[in-house]
């Protein structure tokens, strides 16, 4: 069925919101294979279904039809409990709006995850990796947006995730902070071997990916393999 | 409709659960206000009208026997508007099929009835035919209790002679709003009758031709009642006057007055509690809303809306909830008031009792309630005013937890992350935690106090009918009897033990404080009817001196060892000055006790008894009743069990029944606050909780973060609730206690245990309800939004 080389494999993945004439077809049969260790960038117009896809293969949402495999596990068959387990053991999320716990410091936000992870990395290492070694004891309210986003990334990578999902991670950031965040994602991929999926509207981001998926109207239009990847530092914003 | 009003409606819809709950709290408060203040004015007005219409006397002056011309002397007294004499007498009514004879008061109806004092309302039937002496009008409540019909015959024993009467009418009278047999405290419709007979019939029965034994007076507007009493006593003294007294000391009026003042106290104390709770709930709900909508507020202001417009928008939400609640409360209150009036009318035997409420106090009361409830919302408007449009331009600032400061270092060492989240949230906003704790504690305190009051009532019964009075049957005589009677009664069927008693009416005086009651003379080794101290140990009657009930000592403001003046109203009417020997624990009435022999010595009446307490072989009761019925000297026979049952019934109706309602309401408040606290916490943390779920925390782990705070609230609230309840139970008991009955206040672990359990249960149910919401959290939808 699935080759161990693929992190994800989907077939005919469909998502319909609502019923009858008001139904919205967010995904219209997505067939996709994502090899282990790739950085994948998803591009596409607003409302084309990028977030929906991410949410389903990230175990946050359920498909209406079709199958989605994570390695050799069928996500579409899983119970809520199993999905929770899946997220806990394998998945890291980074959202556009950071979603840090305001009542916990940067370090504690990361510890929140390492406490329940199977094979976490050192909390300080995770924060140093995102360049926040000196801000560990600050609360989210005391940090800038970019810093908060980096804490969110540190939190997502600290469990040594198999996959890292980033839904518009740079959406709220300026160009230099955005680049710094992409740099971190690149490092995580390089150093930890995590598969990284990035949804973005900044088409230039595609330059750092192994693979670029173009999305339109709930389906994949094209998949490009990137022969010449560039460092995030060189990305035009 | 303006877009802001659209927003208002949507917001209301969104928080409909909470808004409904708060409106309900307001509604309960307002309905209690409407109900009780309406009931209060209705009762007062009705009593006033009833007294006026049927000309209830303002002064009652019982006397042994005075010729009718003495009335002219009384009429001369300054301040007296009119005076009439009547004949009253004790009677025993023999009800077919009932072993126990029923005590009755027989009252004379004069031949000519124009503007008669102490008139009655003829509910059914007709007036007495002045020419006939065998007609009777019977108290309506008694007739109903025994299902008597017009034209029935009634057999009554008066002054030792048994006679039959035709029932021609049923009546109600303002002097019998509350019907207790003379000397008793517990009303019982079935066991006390009033018979109105033609003057001639009564004069013949009691040998009162051309005489009267009770003078009824109405007073002029500017009369000085105390002076009138003194003058009346002066005139009637020669004829065996037993001391004139005012209407307010009449048993029936005393009961209704107690009820009215109880109602007054409750109507002042209770509704504000609800308004406070509503204000608190509105405060936290609106705070939460303003907090989560700070950016929208900034944005609306940036569009050019003024602070006032924006503030008013949020205040409108508060007003809508408060006004809707108040409106519902008015409807409920009017409806409840009508129902309550029905209950009062039957308990207090009013011929009419129309529930009505003055529009002015209603409007102002409801207005104040609405304002009080919305005060919580007003508080929050400050924040709305303080927000600047610039806020809207900034990315959302996470709530600042850095201020929890010094605590952080310590926390780190021994708490895991979820626990830290709980603790920091609490430290971040201790005021709100305190508010929730206080709310829950007050609710719990209120319900535990009410419950301990309930068992307090039971204690009253147990103490009165189990410890103090251990007889099976008590018998009273019309006139005092020689002590030999006691020996005779030993031979009646079934009698195991006989104990005599001698009760005399007396006015007890200590300086300015006085009390009109009875002094009971007890034998030296009383066993059946005793005085006990607060440890339930027998009080040995002193050779000289008097033992006072605690409530009586409080009224007279007198301590053991001090001298008390006792003006005996019977016999040769001595005025004694005796030391207070000790204080007795009693819960029913405000009695006083002396050694029977000492009392008789003071009266110079050797070995006289006015009643006996009996211990009886219960198999022989019917035979005993037969024998007692045949004794002309017997004025009344009371079975202890009947008295107890009647007392229980009294406690369960009227104001007594309120305590059940209050306990239930307190429970609802407690639940409301606990649930609201949980909901608010959920609303505030929905996004954090969703994030936790995304990170792979299980539902249980996520729920811990949310419910941890609730657990802390509950854990802190319970001890505080015990404290508040303890204090409240004293307050409430003091409020409920009168000279007619007292509520003991002892700490009752069971009541507090149940209240605490109810709080825990409320927390568990709330927790479960909110936990369901956690399970249903839509991860994707929650994370898509900024807040
Ligand atoms: N809860 C929902 N109910 C109904 N329709 C929805 C819901 N969530 C998403 N949709 C619809 O599904 C489609 C895909 O949404 P999705 O969020 O995946 O788009 P996207 O590609 O991430 O867009 P963007 O780049 O703007 O974030 C859209 O048309 C959207 O309107
Ligand atoms: Mg999207």
């Amino acid at each position: 069925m699935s080759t161990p080389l693929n992190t994800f494999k989907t077939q005919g993945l469909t998502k319909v919101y609502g019923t009858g004439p008001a139904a919205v077809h967010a995904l219209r049969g997505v067939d996709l294979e994502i090899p282990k260790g790739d950085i994948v960038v998803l591009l596409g117009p607003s409302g084309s279904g990028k977030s929906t896809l991410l949410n389903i293969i990230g175990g946050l949402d359920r498909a209406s039809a079709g199958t989605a495999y994570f390695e050799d596990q069928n996500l579409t068959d899983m119970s809520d409990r199993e999905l929770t387990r899946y997220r806990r053991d394998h998945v890291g999320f980074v959202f556009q709006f950071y979603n840090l716990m305001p009542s916990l410091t940067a370090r504690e936000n990361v510890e929140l995850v390492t406490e329940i992870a199977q094979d976490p990395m050192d909390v300080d290492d995770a924060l140093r990796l995102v360049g926040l070694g000196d801000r560990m004891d600050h609360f989210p309210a005391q940090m800038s947006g970019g810093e908060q986003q980096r804490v969110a990334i540190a939190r997502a990578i600290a469990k040594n995730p198999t996959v890292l999902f980033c839904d518009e991670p740079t959406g709220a950031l300026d160009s230099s902070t955005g680049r710094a965040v992409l740099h971190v994602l690149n490092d995580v991929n390089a150093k930890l071997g995590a598969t990284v999926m990035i949804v973005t509207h900044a088409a230039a981001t595609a330059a750092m990916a192994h693979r670029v998926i173009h999305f339109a109207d709930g389906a994949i239009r094209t998949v490009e393999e990137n022969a010449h990847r560039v460092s995030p530092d060189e990305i035009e914003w | 409709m303006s877009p802001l009003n659209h927003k208002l409606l949507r917001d209301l819809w969104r928080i409909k659960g909470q808004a409904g709950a708060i409106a309900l709290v307001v509604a309960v408060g307002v309905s209690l206000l409407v109900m009780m203040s309406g009931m209060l004015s209705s009762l007062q007005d009705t009593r006033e009208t009833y007294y006026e219409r049927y000309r209830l006397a303002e002064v009652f002056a019982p006397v042994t026997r005075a010729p009718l011309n003495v009335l002219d002397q009384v009429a001369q007294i300054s301040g007296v508007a009119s005076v009439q004499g009547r004949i009253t007498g004790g009677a025993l009514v023999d009800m077919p099929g009932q072993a126990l004879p029923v005590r009755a008061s027989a009252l004379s109806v004069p031949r000519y009835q124009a503007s008669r004092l102490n008139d009655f309302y003829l509910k059914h039937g007709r007036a007495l035919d002045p020419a006939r002496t065998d007609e009777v009008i019977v108290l309506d409540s008694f007739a109903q209790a025994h299902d008597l019909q017009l034209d029935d015959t009634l057999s009554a024993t008066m002054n030792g002679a048994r006679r039959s009467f035709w029932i021609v009418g049923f009546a109600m009278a303002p002097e019998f709003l509350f019907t207790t047999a003379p000397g008793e405290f517990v009303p019982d419709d079935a066991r006390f009758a009033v018979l109105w007979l033609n003057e001639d019939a009564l004069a013949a029965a009691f040998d009162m031709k051309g005489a009267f034994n009770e003078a009824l007076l109405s007073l002029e507007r500017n009369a000085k009642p105390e002076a009138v009493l003194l003058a009346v006593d002066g005139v009637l003294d020669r004829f065996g006057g037993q001391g004139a007294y005012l209407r307010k000391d009449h048993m029936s009026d005393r009961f209704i007055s107690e009820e009215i003042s109880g109602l007054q106290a409750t109507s002042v104390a209770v509704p504000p509690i609800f308004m406070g709770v509503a204000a608190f709930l509105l405060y936290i709900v609106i705070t939460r809303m303003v907090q989560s909508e700070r950016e929208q507020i900034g944005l609306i202001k940036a569009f050019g809306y003024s602070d006032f417009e924006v503030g008013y928008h949020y205040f409108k939400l508060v007003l809508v909830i408060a006004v809707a609640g108040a409106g519902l409360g008015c409807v409920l209150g009017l409806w409840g008031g009508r129902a309550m009036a029905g209950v009062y009318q039957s308990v207090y035997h009013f011929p009419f009792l129309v529930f009505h409420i003055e529009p002015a106090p209603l409007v102002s009361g409801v207005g104040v309630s609405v304002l009080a409830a919305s005060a919580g919302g007003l508080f929050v408007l400050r924040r709305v005013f303080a927000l600047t449009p610039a806020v809207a331009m900034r990315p959302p600032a996470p709530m600042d937890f850095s201020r929890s400061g010094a605590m952080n270092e310590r926390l780190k060492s021994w708490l895991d992350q979820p626990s830290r989240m709980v603790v920091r949230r609490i430290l971040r906003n201790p005021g709100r935690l305190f508010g929730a704790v206080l709310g829950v504690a007050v609710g719990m305190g209120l319900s535990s106090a009410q419950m301990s009051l309930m068992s307090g009532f039971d204690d009253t019964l147990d103490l009165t009918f189990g410890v103090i009075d251990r007889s099976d049957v008590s018998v009273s005589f019309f006139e005092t009897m020689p002590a030999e009677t006691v020996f005779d009664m030993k031979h009646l069927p079934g009698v195991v033990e006989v104990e005599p008693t001698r009760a005399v009416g007396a006015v007890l005086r200590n300086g300015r404080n006085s009390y009109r009651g009875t002094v009971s003379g007890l034998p030296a080794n009383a066993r059946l009817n005793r005085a006990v101290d607060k440890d339930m140990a027998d009080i040995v009657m002193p050779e000289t001196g008097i033992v006072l009930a605690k409530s009586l000592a409080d009224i007279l403001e007198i301590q053991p060892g001090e001298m008390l003046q006792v003006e005996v109203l019977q016999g040769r009417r001595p005025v004694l000055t005796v030391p207070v020997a000790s204080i007795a624990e009693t819960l029913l009435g405000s009695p006083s006790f002396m050694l029977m022999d000492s009392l008789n010595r003071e009266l110079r009446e050797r070995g006289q008894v006015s009643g006996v307490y009996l211990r009886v072989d219960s198999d022989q009761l019917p035979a005993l009743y037969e024998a007692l019925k045949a004794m002309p000297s017997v004025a009344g026979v009371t079975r202890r069990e009947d008295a107890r049952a009647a007392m229980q019934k009294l406690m369960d109706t009227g104001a007594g029944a309120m305590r059940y309602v209050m306990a239930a309401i307190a429970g609802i408040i407690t639940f409301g606050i606990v649930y609201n606290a949980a909901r608010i916490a959920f609303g505030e943390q929905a996004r954090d909780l969703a994030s936790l779920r995304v990170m792979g925390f299980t539902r249980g782990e996520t729920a811990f973060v949310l419910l941890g705070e609730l657990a802390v609230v509950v854990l802190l609230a319970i001890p505080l609730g015990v404290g508040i309840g303890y204090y409240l139970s004293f307050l409430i008991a003091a409020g409920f206690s009168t000279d007619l009955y007292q509520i003991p206040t002892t700490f009752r672990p069971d009541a507090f245990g149940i209240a605490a359990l109810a709080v825990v249960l409320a927390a568990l149910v709330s927790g479960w309800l909110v936990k369901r919401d956690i399970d249903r959290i839509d991860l994707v939808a929650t994370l898509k939004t900024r807040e």
Side-chain angles (χ1 to χ4, degrees):
Chain A
M1 290 208 313
S2 63
T3 70
L5 286 181
N6 280 345
T7 306
F8 289 108
K9 181 183 166 103
T10 71
Q11 264 171 345
L13 204 60
T14 305
K15 178 72 179 178
V16 184
Y17 289 109
T19 51
V24 177
H25 291 262
L27 296 180
R28 300 169 187 270
V30 174
D31 302 322
L32 178 73
E33 286 187 19
I34 295 180
K36 205 168 164 53
D38 267 14
I39 293 182
V40 180
V41 167
L42 263 87
L43 293 173
S46 177
S48 54
K50 307 181 294 290
S51 298
T52 307
L53 176 65
L54 224 59
N55 290 338
I56 292 173
I57 61 178
L60 292 181
D61 205 354
R62 290 177 176 284
S64 309
T67 55
Y69 276 88
F70 164 72
E71 294 177 346
D72 57 353
Q73 301 173 35
N74 188 345
L75 295 174
T76 37
D77 273 357
M78 284 187 181
S79 68
D80 270 7
R81 195 178 290 275
E82 288 165 332
L83 282 177
T84 302
R85 194 81 233 169
Y86 160 64
R87 291 198 302 269
R88 188 170 181 143
D89 295 343
H90 299 288
V91 181
F93 272 104
V94 179
F95 294 95
Q96 184 179 359
F97 301 124
Y98 328 141
N99 293 319
L100 297 181
M101 300 290 141
S103 56
L104 297 179
T105 62
R107 185 205 302 275
E108 290 164 351
N109 260 287
V110 179
E111 281 170 351
L112 193 59
V113 169
T114 57
E115 264 172 14
I116 60 167
Q118 283 176 326
D119 173 29
M121 67 166 81
D122 183 68
V123 173
D124 292 8
D125 286 349
L127 280 164
R128 267 195 289 274
L129 203 59
V130 297
L132 286 175
D134 53 342
R135 304 294 301 272
M136 294 194 224
D137 291 325
H138 284 96
F139 282 90
Q142 298 167 310
M143 286 184 275
S144 76
E147 286 162 350
Q148 287 181 54
Q149 189 61 304
R150 280 186 279 159
V151 174
I153 294 172
R155 189 176 66 180
I157 63 176
K159 66 161 75 155
N160 273 322
T162 321
V163 279
L164 187 59
F165 293 100
C166 310
D167 198 345
E168 303 186 28
T170 55
L173 305 177
D174 68 75
S175 59
S176 67
T177 335
R179 253 188 224 109
V181 164
L182 293 181
H183 212 96
V184 170
L185 295 178
N186 203 40
D187 282 359
V188 169
N189 172 257
K191 290 181 187 157
L192 308 176
T195 306
V196 178
M197 292 191 70
I198 305 170
V199 168
T200 182
H201 284 285
T205 312
M208 67 179 271
H210 295 102
R211 194 175 290 262
V212 182
I213 300 176
H214 287 272
F215 231 74
D217 213 9
I220 294 173
R221 285 295 112 117
T222 58
V223 179
E224 298 167 34
E225 291 204 30
N226 207 347
H228 305 286
R229 294 178 58 223
V230 301
S231 146
D233 299 332
E234 295 159 41
I235 289 175
E236 295 290 318
W237 208 265
Chain B
M1 199 193 285
S2 83
L4 273 186
N5 282 340
H6 271 296
K7 176 179 178 308
L8 184 78
L9 289 181
R10 296 235 170 82
D11 286 347
L12 266 175
W13 183 248
R14 194 160 46 81
I15 61 164
K16 57 185 179 299
Q18 277 168 298
I22 296 170
L24 215 60
V25 174
V26 176
V28 172
V30 168
S31 72
L32 286 178
L33 181 80
V34 168
M35 199 163 105
M36 290 199 282
S37 61
M39 201 60 238
L40 195 62
S41 61
S42 306
L43 264 186
Q44 279 168 329
D45 292 356
T46 305
R47 176 174 67 165
E48 205 53 46
T49 318
Y50 194 25
Y51 283 1
E52 218 162 274
R53 192 176 301 168
Y54 296 96
R55 291 177 294 278
L56 183 65
E58 286 160 276
V59 174
F60 294 76
V63 60
T64 307
R65 185 182 197 283
L68 285 173
N69 58 20
V70 173
L71 291 173
D72 297 336
Q73 273 171 273
V74 175
Q76 299 301 314
I77 295 170
S78 110
V80 174
S82 72
V83 57
Q84 293 172 14
R86 70 173 175 183
I87 303 165
T88 70
L92 281 183
V93 175
D94 203 3
M95 296 307 296
Q98 216 173 330
L100 208 60
V102 176
R103 293 179 77 171
S105 278
L107 303 175
S108 69
V109 179
R111 195 177 280 266
Y112 303 105
Q113 301 214 356
S115 68
R116 192 164 83 76
L117 291 177
N118 284 25
D119 203 354
F120 52 75
Y121 157 67
L122 193 61
K123 195 174 169 200
H124 294 293
R126 59 167 174 84
L128 297 170
D129 178 348
R132 302 189 56 147
T133 55
D134 60 351
E135 291 183 352
V136 67
I137 290 174
V138 179
L139 188 68
D140 185 61
S141 53
F142 175 79
Q144 283 189 14
H146 290 279
D147 199 25
L148 296 178
Q149 306 294 327
L150 292 176
D151 291 336
D152 281 356
T153 55
L154 190 84
S155 161
T157 308
M158 285 183 285
N159 214 8
R162 176 184 287 212
R163 293 192 50 194
S164 264
F165 296 95
W166 284 107
I167 299 176
V168 300
F170 300 122
M172 306 173 101
E175 60 186 309
F176 299 110
L177 286 176
F178 215 76
T179 48
T180 50
E184 288 202 11
F185 295 100
V186 187
D188 188 343
D189 285 348
R191 302 207 45 261
F192 175 65
V194 178
L195 311 174
W196 282 275
L197 301 170
N198 270 321
E199 206 170 55
D200 294 347
L202 266 189
F206 290 101
D207 188 23
M208 288 278 172
K209 239 177 180 45
F212 66 92
N213 62 7
E214 185 176 34
L216 304 172
L217 283 72
S218 66
L219 300 183
E220 279 165 0
R221 209 168 269 284
N222 52 3
K224 292 196 182 64
E226 296 302 329
V228 172
L229 290 189
L230 266 180
V232 170
D233 283 348
V235 172
L236 296 181
D237 198 27
R238 280 190 298 141
F239 307 99
Q242 284 147 35
Y245 57 94
L246 294 173
R247 185 197 275 174
K248 70 174 169 57
D249 289 322
H250 192 277
M251 201 51 142
S252 164
D253 189 70
R254 257 171 68 188
F255 262 102
I256 188 94
S257 296
E258 295 292 357
E259 184 72 36
I260 285 176
S261 58
L263 205 57
Q264 197 147 28
T266 326
S267 75
V268 169
V270 173
I273 294 176
F274 286 87
M275 297 314 151
V277 170
F280 172 68
L281 291 180
L282 274 171
Y283 171 75
I284 54 177
V285 167
I286 301 301
T287 306
R288 156 79 194 132
M289 186 174 265
V290 168
Q291 232 163 40
S292 68
E293 294 183 358
R294 345 179 331 281
E295 291 163 52
Q296 301 181 39
I297 293 170
L299 210 60
I300 295 171
K301 285 188 183 178
F303 294 157
Y305 283 92
S306 70
D307 280 353
F308 178 78
E309 283 166 321
V310 181
Y312 180 57
H313 167 68
Y314 285 94
F315 188 59
K316 256 199 297 200
L317 191 84
V318 174
L319 272 185
V320 167
I321 295 174
V323 169
L328 180 66
C330 282
V331 174
L332 285 180
L334 287 171
W335 178 77
R338 292 233 169 83
M340 198 172 168
V343 172
Y344 269 96
Q345 186 175 351
S346 68
V347 172
Y348 284 98
H349 306 312
F350 282 108
F352 51 86
L353 178 55
V354 183
F355 181 80
H356 69 94
I357 182 158
E358 305 291 325
L362 177 71
V363 169
S364 66
V366 170
V368 168
S369 303
V370 167
L371 278 184
S374 32
L378 277 175
F379 239 133
V380 184
L381 291 189
R382 259 182 335 155
R383 288 178 193 231
V384 177
F385 280 26
L387 277 172
T388 62
V391 176
M393 312 305 162
R394 282 206 296 270
M399 202 188 272
D400 190 351
F401 282 86
S402 54
R403 279 195 290 131
S404 36
M407 221 29 214
N408 288 330
E409 290 308 316
R410 237 168 303 154
L411 283 180
K412 269 182 196 154
S413 48
W414 49 276
L415 287 177
D416 64 354
Q417 306 307 327
S419 308
R420 279 185 220 180
M421 290 175 68
V422 172
V423 173
R424 292 236 173 85
R425 268 181 59 82
I426 291 170
L427 293 177
R428 176 68 225 279
N429 211 336
R432 191 177 52 193
L433 180 89
F434 178 72
V437 167
L438 194 69
V440 173
V442 167
M444 181 188 143
L446 209 61
S447 48
S448 55
Q450 292 290 345
M451 273 190 292
S452 86
L453 204 63
M454 279 185 218
S455 27
F457 276 94
D458 294 339
D459 275 7
T460 303
L461 293 181
D462 289 341
L463 178 64
T464 307
F465 298 106
V467 177
I468 294 175
D469 182 353
R470 297 190 292 187
S471 69
D472 297 316
V473 170
S474 63
V475 177
S476 61
F477 304 121
F478 285 114
E479 278 163 9
T480 55
M481 307 286 286
E484 292 82 69
T485 317
V486 176
F487 299 106
D488 293 347
M489 296 198 84
K490 266 203 182 115
H491 303 303
L492 290 176
V495 172
V496 178
E497 195 173 348
V498 182
E499 185 174 294
T501 182
R502 167 78 154 115
V504 292
V507 174
L508 310 179
R509 220 179 277 283
N510 177 37
R512 285 188 300 111
N513 300 315
S514 68
Y515 185 81
R516 192 187 165 86
T518 37
V519 179
S520 299
L522 303 184
N525 297 308
R527 287 171 35 83
L528 298 185
N529 180 48
R530 322 177 285 158
V532 295
D533 63 18
K534 63 178 186 306
D535 301 321
M536 302 297 119
D538 270 313
I539 294 178
V540 178
M541 285 297 138
E543 196 57 38
T544 54
I546 190 166
V547 175
L548 299 181
K550 170 112 189 20
S551 55
L552 188 51
D554 289 344
I555 292 170
L556 297 171
E557 295 176 24
I558 198 166
Q559 308 288 332
E562 296 176 11
M563 298 304 276
L564 178 72
Q565 188 177 321
V566 180
E567 302 168 18
V568 179
L569 299 171
Q570 272 157 274
R572 77 181 181 92
R573 306 187 56 199
V575 176
L576 320 174
T577 305
V578 290
V580 175
S582 55
I583 303 298
E585 187 78 7
T586 65
L587 295 171
L588 194 61
S590 294
S592 53
F593 309 96
M594 285 177 74
L595 190 64
M596 193 164 81
D597 291 342
S598 308
L599 185 61
N600 275 332
R601 202 164 40 240
E602 296 290 356
L603 289 162
R604 303 229 180 96
E605 292 174 14
R606 196 159 264 287
Q608 292 288 307
V609 301
S610 61
V612 290
Y613 290 89
L614 304 178
R615 210 149 57 75
V616 179
D617 172 4
S618 59
D619 291 343
Q620 305 240 40
L621 269 178
L624 175 65
Y625 293 153
E626 263 327 298
L628 288 173
K629 244 194 274 192
M631 293 174 67
S633 53
V634 169
V637 179
T638 308
R639 217 152 58 111
R640 194 185 47 158
E641 266 161 55
D642 292 342
R644 182 180 182 135
M647 184 73 191
Q648 181 78 55
K649 193 174 151 224
L650 170 69
M651 295 294 185
D652 285 344
T653 46
M658 271 313 272
R659 66 195 202 273
Y660 293 110
V661 178
M662 287 305 303
I665 286 174
I668 293 170
I669 289 190
T670 313
F671 177 77
I673 293 176
V674 172
Y675 176 65
N676 239 291
R679 275 241 62 97
I680 290 282
F682 176 73
E684 278 181 2
Q685 289 181 281
R687 230 166 90 88
D688 294 357
L689 300 176
S691 297
L692 286 175
R693 294 277 290 126
V694 166
M695 280 181 251
F697 280 83
T698 62
R699 287 172 180 166
E701 288 162 339
T702 312
F704 169 78
V705 172
L706 180 62
L707 301 180
E709 191 179 345
L710 187 63
V712 172
V713 168
V714 167
L715 285 181
L716 291 178
I718 286 177
L720 188 62
V722 170
I724 292 177
Y726 187 62
Y727 181 69
L728 269 182
S729 64
F730 274 95
L731 271 185
I732 297 176
F736 265 95
S737 293
T738 67
D739 62 318
L740 298 176
Y741 54 85
Q742 296 89 44
I743 310 302
T745 39
T746 40
F747 182 76
R748 306 186 153 274
D750 52 339
F752 290 92
I754 291 172
L757 211 65
V759 170
V760 171
L761 206 68
L764 288 179
V765 172
S766 308
W768 176 74
L769 286 174
V770 176
K771 167 86 165 49
R772 264 190 346 173
D773 291 336
I774 295 180
D775 293 348
R776 287 205 210 116
I777 274 184
D778 183 340
L779 298 181
V780 178
T782 317
L783 295 172
K784 220 192 282 194
T785 54
R786 278 179 140 202
E787 230 284 350

